[in-house]
Amino acid sequence: MGGRTNKLNTKLMAILVATTVFARINSVCCTSSSSSSSQQLLYSAHIPFTTDPVPSTATIAAKLLHDVESPHCWNSGCLYTNKEGSSVLLTVHGGVRVSDDVDTENTMPLLSITLDVTYIQSESAEELNYYDITEVLVDAVSTIDEAMGVTNTNSASASQWSIHKRGRIIIDESVLSLSDNASLYSMILSAELPYKHRITSIRTKNQDKAEIWEYVTSEGQHATALFVNDVLEASTEPSTQIHAEAMVHPAMVSHTQPTQILLVSYYNALPFLQQILKYESITRVRVLNTDMEVLSLAKKFMPDLDDCTSLIGIADECSQDERVVFDTVTDWEVSGNYDDEEEEDEGVEETRKYATEGNIFERMTEDAHHAYHEATPGDMAQPGANQYDIIYLDVPVVHPAMDKNAEWLFSAEFHSWLYRMCTHETMIVINSGHAPSVDTPGTGPREHFMLSHFVDVGEHENETHYSDGVDFEYSMVHPYDEEFAKPKQSSFLCVFVEDHTESASRFFRSNNANFDTDLRARLVMRRDELLKSPTINYDGPVHQRYSRPLRAWETWFCNFEENADRFGACSHFLFNLFNPAFHHEGTEVRWDPDAGRCLYSKVDIPKGHYVATSDVVNSWFMDVTEWKALNKFANDFPSATMYRDLIDTMLAYGYESDNLSKAGWAMSTSSNNTFTNHACHDDEKNTGPALRVYHDENGNEPGFLPPLQRRPEITGIITMALLDIKAGDEIKMDYRDFRTDMQHHPNFEDFLSNSVCKEKNGFVPVENKKPSHIEF
């Protein structure tokens, strides 16, 4: 020790002093039944050694405790406490020693001071919560910095510290884990970062705590972050922009013509505005219920979030663009009588016209062309009206016992009000939480919303209901996730107000090049280099990934007790998907002089089993947008007859395939199933679509069914045995199942009833001579 001290005395100017402060915690509880509350603080700093005396443990204790008792000392140091009688006890224990660490630059030993600081709240103390205790320890860091002469800058002399906890905080019987990656605790307080410093902290008039922190990441990148109520709202790290892109762009490139946008964002709308204003068609953005104090804080310390200087024709500050309007709506306005202020969409006038001229095949072709709704100006938000093409709901990351905003944004009352501002083509995007786990309960605000308004349709006996008294009816909800948005909320719910809309069809387009093309065509011109991508993550391939929910949604949904037995998609389809005994491939094609090619079973197939499931991998699919484009092209260029032949081939051998995430036309390309004939009588019908995959036990079709949404290539094509089929039986099905809605195909009904069943004339002419390769 003496040798080290002599060496220290010869090179005092090169010495760094290391200070470590510890606070030990046993439990963190905020209930009246808890006997104490405590937390742990770890602190270290390297400062240039000067001729000034090193602050003693007693000096630091006095600065922290103010009212210090006489210390209790032993070999390792002394314990300082505030005087007895105080309901809050803060103890400091430590001593001065020469550290075993060496200053690598000057090969010098480091002088260190080791302190233990413990914050304990006694049972008799006035109730404090986790945030109050944390505030005390963060302030303690500043006090120690000052005592040690540490300068709070991003340099080698900055202090390094961390706050730790033991167990969990209990608030109003809701257990809140502090391990959330988006929490101030996880990102800053407990993180071993090279540098971190709180720039400012305010308490807004709504009593929200907003803070700006700057820090250096473990990769050495400087960053700034906004936290509200100790939860991350935005940062200058890429995850914030990725999160905003995932929220904004999928709906913007899917909607036919987005002009009027509603954005509900409580604390920081800037990242979303920055992405929305990139679209040339936007005429108005109404930002609802944003805390302007928090917004101002973000603009001041994180100006890049409000920077639109790269966009031509947009205000330099996104929030100052003339199309952006900040507004507030209260609970009272939502629940009150709003008939005078909101205009209700009166629905879509039926504009489909069905063919009446030409032969039966020409009429069927024309019906198929017009079977899908074409968005009209009347389907869009009207200028000046309280209607919106896209509605974004940024649900705050809050703890239910501490804030009711999240619960309100998922309430039936709020959505009844919101529904009145929707048109036929309106899309609603909700950002909330992360993908569920097996243990995710089904009764949180988000889960309640999804199960009550998209799953619990119709009446069900002997089960618990989620449904509220509602004055709205959405059609479908589709969850998608962006892992690179973490630690921000990475799950998004895309809600379609009506089914079979053009916007919904566009969202689920099969070719991801569509989305890249739309980005190029729809975005405003930029001042930056033309080869630079307008996004850092979102593009066509990413959107295609969004079109299929994660398996976590399927697992959670089907493991939820009520859904497991109620939906055949869980209890029947998933349960038997990988069961070889449930799938039967044994079929053969035979020849009939009247019917032509016929499909026969070579094996016994029990009722409810699947028939020739290999058909799903030997099929050609055209989504709705591709089908409509093909029909338009064939009509525009009638002399290009092969395009009309292509449509006729699809009509002859194909069928409409429509489920919650994929709609269009499919055709077997190399499967025996394509030779299944029409059953003119009910007793002939022994196969058909697997309806139990689409419906619940009562025949209701939900708007949220993850097994269906994840595997549309299978569920939209798979065929089920409706009766026990014996080896040698002909396999037949009702061709009416080849159309999603027969009301849109009146000529197809005429074709089946007359041409097929009475005149024995099918879409494909029967050859007079039996092909040599087919058994008679």
Side-chain angles (χ1 to χ4, degrees), residues 33 56 74 87 99 110 123 142 295-296 350 373 408 454 458 468 498 508 607 665 715 717 759:
S33 60
S56 67
W74 58 95
S87 60
S99 171
L110 301 178
E123 184 175 6
S142 300
L295 192 76
S296 297
E350 179 59 66
H373 176 74
W408 185 64
F454 299 96
D468 303 314
E498 302 285 350
F508 296 109
K607 177 182 178 180
W665 285 76
T715 57
I717 294 177
E759 301 172 10

Side-chain angles (χ1 to χ4, degrees), residues 15 93 105 201 250 367 424 447 459 461 537 581 598 664 711 759:
I15 289 296
H93 157 239
E105 182 178 351
S201 176
D367 286 350
H424 183 75
E447 290 74 26
E459 296 296 329
E461 297 180 358
N537 183 65
C598 306
R711 295 181 171 87
E759 301 172 10

Side-chain angles (χ1 to χ4, degrees), residues 551 554 558 568-585 608-610 613-614 616-617 690 693 706-708 710-716 718 720:
R551 186 171 182 175
E554 178 182 85
C558 288
C570 297
S571 61
H572 190 274
F573 172 68
L574 285 183
F575 187 76
N576 295 295
L577 179 60
F578 302 105
N579 180 5
F582 226 80
H583 300 262
H584 305 272
E585 300 292 341
H609 284 214
Y610 299 121
T613 48
S614 61
V616 302
V617 297
V693 176
L708 194 70
R710 291 195 70 241
R711 295 181 171 87
E713 293 82 4
I714 299 178
T715 57
I718 198 167
M720 177 183 289

Side-chain angles (χ1 to χ4, degrees), residues 382-550:
Q382 301 304 305
N386 283 323
Q387 293 179 318
Y388 300 95
D389 297 308
I390 302 175
I391 298 173
Y392 294 105
L393 303 182
D394 178 31
V395 180
V397 186
V398 295
H399 312 301
M402 300 165 59
D403 195 305
K404 298 298 182 182
N405 288 336
E407 186 175 346
W408 185 64
L409 289 178
F410 280 121
S411 69
E413 182 181 52
F414 176 75
H415 282 272
S416 295
W417 174 78
L418 202 65
Y419 185 70
R420 300 176 68 88
M421 295 185 287
C422 296
T423 72
H424 183 75
E425 291 283 338
T426 295
M427 300 172 66
I428 302 173
V429 182
I430 307 172
N431 174 221
S432 177
H434 302 292
S437 67
V438 175
D439 299 326
T440 301
T443 54
R446 180 183 70 173
E447 290 74 26
H448 178 94
F449 174 78
M450 299 175 74
L451 294 174
S452 62
H453 303 309
F454 299 96
V455 177
D456 195 16
V457 292
E459 296 296 329
H460 313 285
E461 297 180 358
N462 301 321
E463 57 183 281
T464 303
H465 297 283
Y466 296 101
S467 55
D468 303 314
V470 299
D471 188 24
F472 68 96
E473 185 179 351
Y474 295 145
S475 173
M476 178 177 70
V477 60
H478 177 84
Y480 63 93
D481 292 81
E482 179 49 73
E483 288 294 304
F484 292 117
K486 292 181 177 179
K488 292 281 290 179
Q489 299 184 97
S490 59
S491 285
F492 304 84
L493 310 180
C494 187
V495 176
F496 298 93
V497 175
E498 302 285 350
D499 57 4
H500 301 117
T501 62
E502 190 167 353
S503 296
S505 299
R506 288 172 54 84
F507 186 92
F508 296 109
R509 285 173 287 180
S510 302
N511 188 340
N512 63 54
N514 284 292
F515 307 104
D516 288 331
T517 301
D518 282 346
L519 276 176
R520 182 180 68 243
R522 293 188 170 196
L523 299 187
V524 300
M525 292 294 294
R526 292 170 289 129
R527 292 189 175 90
D528 49 9
E529 54 189 273
L530 295 179
L531 295 180
K532 182 179 179 181
S533 171
T535 59
I536 63 173
N537 183 65
Y538 177 84
D539 58 13
V542 168
H543 188 111
Q544 196 166 51
R545 174 164 55 84
Y546 293 165
S547 67
R548 299 292 180 268
L550 295 180

Side-chain angles (χ1 to χ4, degrees), residues 205-220:
K205 65 181 181 181
N206 295 324
Q207 295 306 304
D208 291 311
K209 184 178 72 170
E211 300 177 272
I212 299 289
W213 287 78
E214 62 178 358
Y215 55 97
V216 174
T217 68
S218 55
E219 293 79 20

Side-chain angles (χ1 to χ4, degrees), residues 284-299:
R284 180 171 68 126
V285 184
R286 184 186 181 195
V287 184
L288 208 59
N289 287 13
T290 288
D291 189 317
M292 300 307 291
E293 292 179 89
V294 177
L295 192 76
S296 297
L297 204 64
K299 292 175 63 175

